[in-house]
Amino acid sequence: MGTAGVPGPAATDALPEFPSPRIADSRRLMGPHLHAAVEGAVLDVVLPADAAQAAALLDAWCARVRELSARLGWPEPEVVVRRQAHEASCFASAPADRLMAATERGELAWTWAEADVGERAEFDLVAAVARVRAVAEPEVAARRHLPAVLAEAARRGLTVTYDDDSCAVGSGDGARTYAWADLPAPADLPWAALHDVPVALVTGSNGKTTTVRLLAAMWRAAGRVPGWCSTTGVQIGEHVITEGDWSGPAGARAVLRDPRVQAAVLETARGGILRRGLATRRADVAVITNLQADHLGEYGIATVEALGAVKAVTARALVPRGALVLNAEDPALVALAPTLGAPVAWFALDPAAVAAPPAGVTARGACVVRDGVVEWRDAEGGVTPLALVADVPIAFGGAAPHMVANACAAAAAAMVLGIPVAAVRAALRAFGANAGDNPGRLTVHRLPGGVTALVDYAHNPAGVATLGPVVARLGGARKLIVLGQAGNRDDEAVRGLVRAAWATGPYDRVIIKDLPMHRKGRRPGEMTALIADELARLGVPAAAVQVSPSERAAVEAAVAWGAPGDLLVLPLHAQATELSAWLAGLAGAS
């Protein structure tokens, strides 16, 4: 029934996963999340086609999860149901020391609801209550001090992060981490030694990792030791702790618990928010770079507006003095801002976009570009020049406006955080001058034999489209592009990616990469065939297209194809970190 282990004695290891075929997923939410600001458990269910039957099931679940809570002696839960056409997410809050048991409560309440509407013959309430209590007992015993620690930390305004193995109070160099068996009662915690470091959350569809890295560089320029996590790993100061996608709660906890960290910058991906909630309830600033039609259809998120609601969960973590940083040129974010109840610092390439902010939003300033200068405009009307766009390395002399936008986002966050202006200026003018500053994000490698490779993480139509001006600026005797996509995008999204990519050319060669580890339920060869079909629709000759069995094989084939003066456009994803390093090594040897 439950989906993860419980600290202490194993209570659920040999159980079947779910008690109803309608239950698609059941999971704990351990921090602020899409449904509420409090912990609990969410149940994803498949609804019957009959609308009345579906409504009856959901109403019954709401009633039964409350009744089960009462029978267990738990507090009255906050209950939220988010319904889509034939699916629903059913959330009920629960005490933090009973989240595993809360998944059992939600699942059993669903089977009770099925009995209520006639989908199930009977429901054994006595057995259900006993079942939840059996799961709760070892969990409560292992986390016996957690509720009191959470309450006292909240009173003192301190961060608490926890997972299956441990609990930490404070953050960065002000944190102490304890295994569950060693977590003291509040009276025995060293409160005088505990404190929080500044925390920034960065989310959005595109530009997150660059914004994270640049904001970390601003902290470094200010003399602080930054820690950050992203889709490429966890880094503390100059030290890479681990590589891979660490943009979820585990990456955030790794940064927040490291005793070397004096400022934390946390890439906060949609998937982690939906699966577990935020790792922290306390952040000083939350950046949302933009919203694009990407990853739609997962966890019931079917529209850009719904995706915006997921990204906006970061606002739930803001401390009273904190602020959001939002893209004033993204209509969905502008529309969302008045609903979030937080002050906003805007960023935009066009100053006109911040001239008339939406009603009901408290402005904390704006970072804009005026006459080729990145400048900060504070809430009182003061203007502080930060850098010439021509002096910002990641901007490619202005040929990469999306990178200018990332620079503005990071600068706005820095100003909200109180990073000294001199440090903001220094980082804007230095970051990106070295290819190692922002690997895999609009990185140019000069390879042996006079071949140029442009590497980027672009993985959706909007991201790929931003490559166009840079491709035009770099030129090339011949051009090649590598294309591929994970299987969790629908067909039209994949075709849109291909169209956007071809529009940045044209290209003399296209290599389609298969991504065997990212098929996400697609049949072998299905994604490469779909991309090839769209290329044929665009009139690309079949002789100009080849298929490679992996991302690495595709990049190696591209390098082998290149001749003096050629440009290779390489949007990388599955093996981005290792391939970026490989290309950098080739460039260093040239």
mmCIF file of all heavy atoms in Angstrom, residues 53-93:
data_model
loop_
_atom_site.group_PDB
_atom_site.id
_atom_site.type_symbol
_atom_site.label_atom_id
_atom_site.label_comp_id
_atom_site.label_asym_id
_atom_site.label_seq_id
_atom_site.Cartn_x
_atom_site.Cartn_y
_atom_site.Cartn_z
ATOM 1 N N GLN A 53 -21.093 9.357 -11.064
ATOM 2 C CA GLN A 53 -20.399 8.341 -10.273
ATOM 3 C C GLN A 53 -19.064 8.879 -9.783
ATOM 4 O O GLN A 53 -18.673 8.648 -8.626
ATOM 5 C CB GLN A 53 -20.186 7.086 -11.130
ATOM 6 C CG GLN A 53 -19.486 5.941 -10.417
ATOM 7 C CD GLN A 53 -20.427 5.085 -9.585
ATOM 8 O OE1 GLN A 53 -21.574 5.485 -9.355
ATOM 9 N NE2 GLN A 53 -19.955 3.952 -9.134
ATOM 10 N N ALA A 54 -18.355 9.591 -10.638
ATOM 11 C CA ALA A 54 -17.068 10.158 -10.244
ATOM 12 C C ALA A 54 -17.249 11.162 -9.105
ATOM 13 O O ALA A 54 -16.501 11.156 -8.123
ATOM 14 C CB ALA A 54 -16.407 10.827 -11.439
ATOM 15 N N ALA A 55 -18.237 12.039 -9.241
ATOM 16 C CA ALA A 55 -18.488 13.033 -8.200
ATOM 17 C C ALA A 55 -18.855 12.361 -6.879
ATOM 18 O O ALA A 55 -18.410 12.790 -5.801
ATOM 19 C CB ALA A 55 -19.590 13.980 -8.641
ATOM 20 N N ALA A 56 -19.649 11.297 -6.951
ATOM 21 C CA ALA A 56 -20.048 10.586 -5.736
ATOM 22 C C ALA A 56 -18.837 9.963 -5.047
ATOM 23 O O ALA A 56 -18.723 9.989 -3.809
ATOM 24 C CB ALA A 56 -21.091 9.526 -6.079
ATOM 25 N N LEU A 57 -17.922 9.389 -5.834
ATOM 26 C CA LEU A 57 -16.712 8.794 -5.265
ATOM 27 C C LEU A 57 -15.860 9.845 -4.547
ATOM 28 O O LEU A 57 -15.384 9.619 -3.431
ATOM 29 C CB LEU A 57 -15.885 8.144 -6.371
ATOM 30 C CG LEU A 57 -16.113 6.664 -6.657
ATOM 31 C CD1 LEU A 57 -15.365 6.259 -7.921
ATOM 32 C CD2 LEU A 57 -15.656 5.804 -5.483
ATOM 33 N N LEU A 58 -15.687 10.990 -5.180
ATOM 34 C CA LEU A 58 -14.851 12.033 -4.585
ATOM 35 C C LEU A 58 -15.486 12.597 -3.318
ATOM 36 O O LEU A 58 -14.801 12.831 -2.313
ATOM 37 C CB LEU A 58 -14.591 13.139 -5.608
ATOM 38 C CG LEU A 58 -13.751 12.724 -6.824
ATOM 39 C CD1 LEU A 58 -13.662 13.851 -7.831
ATOM 40 C CD2 LEU A 58 -12.344 12.293 -6.392
ATOM 41 N N ASP A 59 -16.784 12.817 -3.354
ATOM 42 C CA ASP A 59 -17.467 13.302 -2.153
ATOM 43 C C ASP A 59 -17.351 12.283 -1.017
ATOM 44 O O ASP A 59 -17.122 12.646 0.145
ATOM 45 C CB ASP A 59 -18.940 13.575 -2.455
ATOM 46 C CG ASP A 59 -19.150 14.800 -3.331
ATOM 47 O OD1 ASP A 59 -18.196 15.608 -3.456
ATOM 48 O OD2 ASP A 59 -20.252 14.953 -3.895
ATOM 49 N N ALA A 60 -17.513 11.020 -1.373
ATOM 50 C CA ALA A 60 -17.421 9.973 -0.356
ATOM 51 C C ALA A 60 -16.017 9.899 0.220
ATOM 52 O O ALA A 60 -15.841 9.713 1.436
ATOM 53 C CB ALA A 60 -17.834 8.630 -0.955
ATOM 54 N N TRP A 61 -15.000 10.038 -0.629
ATOM 55 C CA TRP A 61 -13.630 10.002 -0.116
ATOM 56 C C TRP A 61 -13.394 11.132 0.883
ATOM 57 O O TRP A 61 -12.806 10.908 1.946
ATOM 58 C CB TRP A 61 -12.615 10.099 -1.254
ATOM 59 C CG TRP A 61 -11.208 10.028 -0.737
ATOM 60 C CD1 TRP A 61 -10.508 8.899 -0.450
ATOM 61 C CD2 TRP A 61 -10.348 11.123 -0.408
ATOM 62 N NE1 TRP A 61 -9.258 9.227 0.041
ATOM 63 C CE2 TRP A 61 -9.136 10.583 0.075
ATOM 64 C CE3 TRP A 61 -10.489 12.509 -0.478
ATOM 65 C CZ2 TRP A 61 -8.080 11.381 0.488
ATOM 66 C CZ3 TRP A 61 -9.434 13.312 -0.060
ATOM 67 C CH2 TRP A 61 -8.240 12.751 0.405
ATOM 68 N N CYS A 62 -13.835 12.332 0.556
ATOM 69 C CA CYS A 62 -13.647 13.467 1.471
ATOM 70 C C CYS A 62 -14.265 13.172 2.839
ATOM 71 O O CYS A 62 -13.665 13.443 3.888
ATOM 72 C CB CYS A 62 -14.268 14.730 0.880
ATOM 73 S SG CYS A 62 -13.431 15.357 -0.592
ATOM 74 N N ALA A 63 -15.471 12.613 2.820
ATOM 75 C CA ALA A 63 -16.144 12.300 4.078
ATOM 76 C C ALA A 63 -15.418 11.182 4.825
ATOM 77 O O ALA A 63 -15.225 11.246 6.052
ATOM 78 C CB ALA A 63 -17.594 11.911 3.804
ATOM 79 N N ARG A 64 -15.007 10.157 4.102
ATOM 80 C CA ARG A 64 -14.416 8.992 4.757
ATOM 81 C C ARG A 64 -13.008 9.252 5.270
ATOM 82 O O ARG A 64 -12.597 8.692 6.291
ATOM 83 C CB ARG A 64 -14.434 7.806 3.804
ATOM 84 C CG ARG A 64 -15.830 7.308 3.444
ATOM 85 C CD ARG A 64 -16.737 7.209 4.642
ATOM 86 N NE ARG A 64 -18.005 6.550 4.341
ATOM 87 C CZ ARG A 64 -19.011 6.464 5.203
ATOM 88 N NH1 ARG A 64 -18.906 7.009 6.407
ATOM 89 N NH2 ARG A 64 -20.120 5.838 4.867
ATOM 90 N N VAL A 65 -12.234 10.096 4.584
ATOM 91 C CA VAL A 65 -10.895 10.375 5.093
ATOM 92 C C VAL A 65 -10.991 11.204 6.374
ATOM 93 O O VAL A 65 -10.179 11.047 7.303
ATOM 94 C CB VAL A 65 -10.024 11.061 4.015
ATOM 95 C CG1 VAL A 65 -10.336 12.553 3.880
ATOM 96 C CG2 VAL A 65 -8.537 10.851 4.296
ATOM 97 N N ARG A 66 -12.008 12.042 6.451
ATOM 98 C CA ARG A 66 -12.228 12.781 7.705
ATOM 99 C C ARG A 66 -12.672 11.833 8.821
ATOM 100 O O ARG A 66 -12.221 11.949 9.966
ATOM 101 C CB ARG A 66 -13.273 13.881 7.483
ATOM 102 C CG ARG A 66 -12.789 15.042 6.631
ATOM 103 C CD ARG A 66 -13.801 16.181 6.634
ATOM 104 N NE ARG A 66 -13.278 17.361 5.954
ATOM 105 C CZ ARG A 66 -13.564 17.699 4.711
ATOM 106 N NH1 ARG A 66 -14.401 16.938 4.000
ATOM 107 N NH2 ARG A 66 -13.046 18.778 4.170
ATOM 108 N N GLU A 67 -13.563 10.901 8.485
ATOM 109 C CA GLU A 67 -14.045 9.985 9.508
ATOM 110 C C GLU A 67 -12.943 9.058 9.989
ATOM 111 O O GLU A 67 -12.833 8.779 11.194
ATOM 112 C CB GLU A 67 -15.233 9.178 8.994
ATOM 113 C CG GLU A 67 -15.870 8.312 10.076
ATOM 114 C CD GLU A 67 -17.238 7.790 9.707
ATOM 115 O OE1 GLU A 67 -17.801 8.247 8.694
ATOM 116 O OE2 GLU A 67 -17.734 6.908 10.440
ATOM 117 N N LEU A 68 -12.124 8.575 9.063
ATOM 118 C CA LEU A 68 -10.994 7.736 9.474
ATOM 119 C C LEU A 68 -10.063 8.510 10.404
ATOM 120 O O LEU A 68 -9.567 7.967 11.403
ATOM 121 C CB LEU A 68 -10.217 7.251 8.253
ATOM 122 C CG LEU A 68 -10.540 5.862 7.705
ATOM 123 C CD1 LEU A 68 -9.675 5.563 6.494
ATOM 124 C CD2 LEU A 68 -10.335 4.788 8.763
ATOM 125 N N SER A 69 -9.813 9.776 10.092
ATOM 126 C CA SER A 69 -8.950 10.601 10.941
ATOM 127 C C SER A 69 -9.526 10.706 12.343
ATOM 128 O O SER A 69 -8.804 10.608 13.345
ATOM 129 C CB SER A 69 -8.781 11.994 10.324
ATOM 130 O OG SER A 69 -8.190 11.913 9.045
ATOM 131 N N ALA A 70 -10.846 10.910 12.426
ATOM 132 C CA ALA A 70 -11.494 11.009 13.733
ATOM 133 C C ALA A 70 -11.376 9.694 14.499
ATOM 134 O O ALA A 70 -11.092 9.670 15.712
ATOM 135 C CB ALA A 70 -12.950 11.405 13.553
ATOM 136 N N ARG A 71 -11.582 8.586 13.816
ATOM 137 C CA ARG A 71 -11.494 7.281 14.469
ATOM 138 C C ARG A 71 -10.080 6.997 14.970
ATOM 139 O O ARG A 71 -9.892 6.292 15.964
ATOM 140 C CB ARG A 71 -11.905 6.190 13.497
ATOM 141 C CG ARG A 71 -13.322 6.325 12.976
ATOM 142 C CD ARG A 71 -14.226 5.330 13.600
ATOM 143 N NE ARG A 71 -15.592 5.433 13.075
ATOM 144 C CZ ARG A 71 -16.557 4.627 13.437
ATOM 145 N NH1 ARG A 71 -16.324 3.662 14.313
ATOM 146 N NH2 ARG A 71 -17.769 4.769 12.938
ATOM 147 N N LEU A 72 -9.094 7.536 14.264
ATOM 148 C CA LEU A 72 -7.702 7.334 14.655
ATOM 149 C C LEU A 72 -7.264 8.290 15.761
ATOM 150 O O LEU A 72 -6.175 8.141 16.324
ATOM 151 C CB LEU A 72 -6.787 7.531 13.443
ATOM 152 C CG LEU A 72 -6.865 6.469 12.349
ATOM 153 C CD1 LEU A 72 -6.303 7.000 11.029
ATOM 154 C CD2 LEU A 72 -6.111 5.209 12.788
ATOM 155 N N GLY A 73 -8.101 9.309 16.028
ATOM 156 C CA GLY A 73 -7.726 10.313 16.999
ATOM 157 C C GLY A 73 -6.774 11.354 16.441
ATOM 158 O O GLY A 73 -6.086 12.051 17.190
ATOM 159 N N TRP A 74 -6.721 11.476 15.113
ATOM 160 C CA TRP A 74 -5.871 12.469 14.466
ATOM 161 C C TRP A 74 -6.605 13.805 14.378
ATOM 162 O O TRP A 74 -7.840 13.847 14.438
ATOM 163 C CB TRP A 74 -5.510 12.020 13.049
ATOM 164 C CG TRP A 74 -4.624 10.812 12.986
ATOM 165 C CD1 TRP A 74 -4.314 9.942 13.991
ATOM 166 C CD2 TRP A 74 -3.938 10.348 11.821
ATOM 167 N NE1 TRP A 74 -3.484 8.952 13.537
ATOM 168 C CE2 TRP A 74 -3.237 9.175 12.202
ATOM 169 C CE3 TRP A 74 -3.855 10.784 10.510
ATOM 170 C CZ2 TRP A 74 -2.454 8.459 11.304
ATOM 171 C CZ3 TRP A 74 -3.075 10.069 9.615
ATOM 172 C CH2 TRP A 74 -2.374 8.917 10.003
ATOM 173 N N PRO A 75 -5.881 14.909 14.168
ATOM 174 C CA PRO A 75 -6.544 16.197 13.986
ATOM 175 C C PRO A 75 -7.431 16.188 12.731
ATOM 176 O O PRO A 75 -7.183 15.438 11.782
ATOM 177 C CB PRO A 75 -5.383 17.175 13.812
ATOM 178 C CG PRO A 75 -4.189 16.477 14.374
ATOM 179 C CD PRO A 75 -4.412 15.018 14.148
ATOM 180 N N GLU A 76 -8.455 17.042 12.731
ATOM 181 C CA GLU A 76 -9.303 17.213 11.552
ATOM 182 C C GLU A 76 -8.417 17.607 10.370
ATOM 183 O O GLU A 76 -7.688 18.607 10.414
ATOM 184 C CB GLU A 76 -10.322 18.314 11.808
ATOM 185 C CG GLU A 76 -11.137 18.731 10.601
ATOM 186 C CD GLU A 76 -12.271 17.772 10.276
ATOM 187 O OE1 GLU A 76 -12.556 16.885 11.101
ATOM 188 O OE2 GLU A 76 -12.865 17.929 9.197
ATOM 189 N N PRO A 77 -8.426 16.838 9.281
ATOM 190 C CA PRO A 77 -7.513 17.140 8.175
ATOM 191 C C PRO A 77 -8.023 18.260 7.270
ATOM 192 O O PRO A 77 -9.238 18.459 7.127
ATOM 193 C CB PRO A 77 -7.453 15.821 7.401
ATOM 194 C CG PRO A 77 -8.790 15.196 7.643
ATOM 195 C CD PRO A 77 -9.185 15.593 9.050
ATOM 196 N N GLU A 78 -7.096 18.975 6.676
ATOM 197 C CA GLU A 78 -7.415 19.853 5.556
ATOM 198 C C GLU A 78 -7.520 18.961 4.323
ATOM 199 O O GLU A 78 -6.594 18.205 4.021
ATOM 200 C CB GLU A 78 -6.314 20.894 5.372
ATOM 201 C CG GLU A 78 -6.562 21.868 4.232
ATOM 202 C CD GLU A 78 -5.494 22.933 4.123
ATOM 203 O OE1 GLU A 78 -4.707 23.098 5.079
ATOM 204 O OE2 GLU A 78 -5.443 23.600 3.067
ATOM 205 N N VAL A 79 -8.634 19.023 3.621
ATOM 206 C CA VAL A 79 -8.898 18.126 2.495
ATOM 207 C C VAL A 79 -9.061 18.964 1.229
ATOM 208 O O VAL A 79 -9.826 19.927 1.204
ATOM 209 C CB VAL A 79 -10.161 17.275 2.742
ATOM 210 C CG1 VAL A 79 -10.468 16.401 1.521
ATOM 211 C CG2 VAL A 79 -9.983 16.408 3.980
ATOM 212 N N VAL A 80 -8.318 18.587 0.186
ATOM 213 C CA VAL A 80 -8.368 19.293 -1.092
ATOM 214 C C VAL A 80 -8.449 18.261 -2.206
ATOM 215 O O VAL A 80 -7.659 17.309 -2.233
ATOM 216 C CB VAL A 80 -7.116 20.183 -1.306
ATOM 217 C CG1 VAL A 80 -7.174 20.867 -2.670
ATOM 218 C CG2 VAL A 80 -6.983 21.212 -0.199
ATOM 219 N N VAL A 81 -9.395 18.444 -3.124
ATOM 220 C CA VAL A 81 -9.515 17.570 -4.295
ATOM 221 C C VAL A 81 -9.344 18.418 -5.539
ATOM 222 O O VAL A 81 -10.041 19.421 -5.727
ATOM 223 C CB VAL A 81 -10.873 16.839 -4.324
ATOM 224 C CG1 VAL A 81 -11.056 16.101 -5.649
ATOM 225 C CG2 VAL A 81 -10.977 15.868 -3.156
ATOM 226 N N ARG A 82 -8.390 18.040 -6.382
ATOM 227 C CA ARG A 82 -8.190 18.698 -7.676
ATOM 228 C C ARG A 82 -8.598 17.698 -8.754
ATOM 229 O O ARG A 82 -7.966 16.652 -8.906
ATOM 230 C CB ARG A 82 -6.729 19.129 -7.861
ATOM 231 C CG ARG A 82 -6.278 20.196 -6.872
ATOM 232 C CD ARG A 82 -4.796 20.492 -7.041
ATOM 233 N NE ARG A 82 -4.523 21.101 -8.332
ATOM 234 C CZ ARG A 82 -4.494 22.409 -8.552
ATOM 235 N NH1 ARG A 82 -4.727 23.252 -7.567
ATOM 236 N NH2 ARG A 82 -4.227 22.877 -9.749
ATOM 237 N N ARG A 83 -9.630 18.048 -9.495
ATOM 238 C CA ARG A 83 -10.180 17.099 -10.456
ATOM 239 C C ARG A 83 -9.860 17.514 -11.888
ATOM 240 O O ARG A 83 -9.956 18.692 -12.251
ATOM 241 C CB ARG A 83 -11.703 17.010 -10.272
ATOM 242 C CG ARG A 83 -12.353 16.022 -11.224
ATOM 243 C CD ARG A 83 -13.839 15.885 -10.969
ATOM 244 N NE ARG A 83 -14.460 15.034 -11.981
ATOM 245 C CZ ARG A 83 -15.751 14.720 -12.009
ATOM 246 N NH1 ARG A 83 -16.559 15.194 -11.062
ATOM 247 N NH2 ARG A 83 -16.229 13.936 -12.956
ATOM 248 N N GLN A 84 -9.465 16.535 -12.701
ATOM 249 C CA GLN A 84 -9.335 16.714 -14.133
ATOM 250 C C GLN A 84 -10.455 15.908 -14.799
ATOM 251 O O GLN A 84 -11.390 15.482 -14.126
ATOM 252 C CB GLN A 84 -7.963 16.243 -14.613
ATOM 253 C CG GLN A 84 -6.797 17.006 -13.987
ATOM 254 C CD GLN A 84 -6.422 16.495 -12.617
ATOM 255 O OE1 GLN A 84 -6.308 15.290 -12.413
ATOM 256 N NE2 GLN A 84 -6.254 17.401 -11.668
ATOM 257 N N ALA A 85 -10.395 15.691 -16.088
ATOM 258 C CA ALA A 85 -11.489 15.032 -16.810
ATOM 259 C C ALA A 85 -11.782 13.651 -16.241
ATOM 260 O O ALA A 85 -12.902 13.363 -15.803
ATOM 261 C CB ALA A 85 -11.147 14.939 -18.296
ATOM 262 N N HIS A 86 -10.809 12.779 -16.236
ATOM 263 C CA HIS A 86 -11.012 11.411 -15.759
ATOM 264 C C HIS A 86 -9.998 11.018 -14.689
ATOM 265 O O HIS A 86 -9.743 9.838 -14.472
ATOM 266 C CB HIS A 86 -10.946 10.421 -16.927
ATOM 267 C CG HIS A 86 -11.995 10.678 -17.967
ATOM 268 N ND1 HIS A 86 -13.343 10.585 -17.697
ATOM 269 C CD2 HIS A 86 -11.886 11.062 -19.265
ATOM 270 C CE1 HIS A 86 -14.035 10.883 -18.792
ATOM 271 N NE2 HIS A 86 -13.169 11.176 -19.758
ATOM 272 N N GLU A 87 -9.414 12.023 -14.032
ATOM 273 C CA GLU A 87 -8.452 11.787 -12.973
ATOM 274 C C GLU A 87 -8.697 12.799 -11.861
ATOM 275 O O GLU A 87 -9.345 13.827 -12.067
ATOM 276 C CB GLU A 87 -7.013 11.961 -13.482
ATOM 277 C CG GLU A 87 -6.620 11.049 -14.632
ATOM 278 C CD GLU A 87 -5.274 11.419 -15.205
ATOM 279 O OE1 GLU A 87 -4.878 12.591 -15.069
ATOM 280 O OE2 GLU A 87 -4.609 10.548 -15.770
ATOM 281 N N ALA A 88 -8.167 12.510 -10.698
ATOM 282 C CA ALA A 88 -8.247 13.464 -9.598
ATOM 283 C C ALA A 88 -7.079 13.234 -8.657
ATOM 284 O O ALA A 88 -6.550 12.118 -8.549
ATOM 285 C CB ALA A 88 -9.563 13.343 -8.851
ATOM 286 N N SER A 89 -6.663 14.304 -7.987
ATOM 287 C CA SER A 89 -5.681 14.220 -6.912
ATOM 288 C C SER A 89 -6.393 14.578 -5.621
ATOM 289 O O SER A 89 -7.008 15.643 -5.524
ATOM 290 C CB SER A 89 -4.522 15.184 -7.168
ATOM 291 O OG SER A 89 -3.813 14.823 -8.332
ATOM 292 N N CYS A 90 -6.328 13.684 -4.639
ATOM 293 C CA CYS A 90 -7.070 13.832 -3.390
ATOM 294 C C CYS A 90 -6.067 13.973 -2.250
ATOM 295 O O CYS A 90 -5.350 13.029 -1.920
ATOM 296 C CB CYS A 90 -7.961 12.616 -3.156
ATOM 297 S SG CYS A 90 -9.101 12.265 -4.517
ATOM 298 N N PHE A 91 -6.020 15.138 -1.639
ATOM 299 C CA PHE A 91 -5.052 15.435 -0.580
ATOM 300 C C PHE A 91 -5.750 15.559 0.765
ATOM 301 O O PHE A 91 -6.832 16.156 0.863
ATOM 302 C CB PHE A 91 -4.308 16.735 -0.874
ATOM 303 C CG PHE A 91 -3.520 17.248 0.302
ATOM 304 C CD1 PHE A 91 -2.292 16.686 0.613
ATOM 305 C CD2 PHE A 91 -4.029 18.255 1.115
ATOM 306 C CE1 PHE A 91 -1.569 17.133 1.718
ATOM 307 C CE2 PHE A 91 -3.304 18.703 2.220
ATOM 308 C CZ PHE A 91 -2.071 18.142 2.520
ATOM 309 N N ALA A 92 -5.117 15.022 1.805
ATOM 310 C CA ALA A 92 -5.557 15.236 3.178
ATOM 311 C C ALA A 92 -4.326 15.465 4.048
ATOM 312 O O ALA A 92 -3.360 14.700 3.976
ATOM 313 C CB ALA A 92 -6.357 14.043 3.694
ATOM 314 N N SER A 93 -4.349 16.524 4.836
ATOM 315 C CA SER A 93 -3.217 16.837 5.693
ATOM 316 C C SER A 93 -3.077 15.796 6.796
ATOM 317 O O SER A 93 -4.019 15.051 7.105
ATOM 318 C CB SER A 93 -3.372 18.231 6.295
ATOM 319 O OG SER A 93 -4.527 18.285 7.116
#
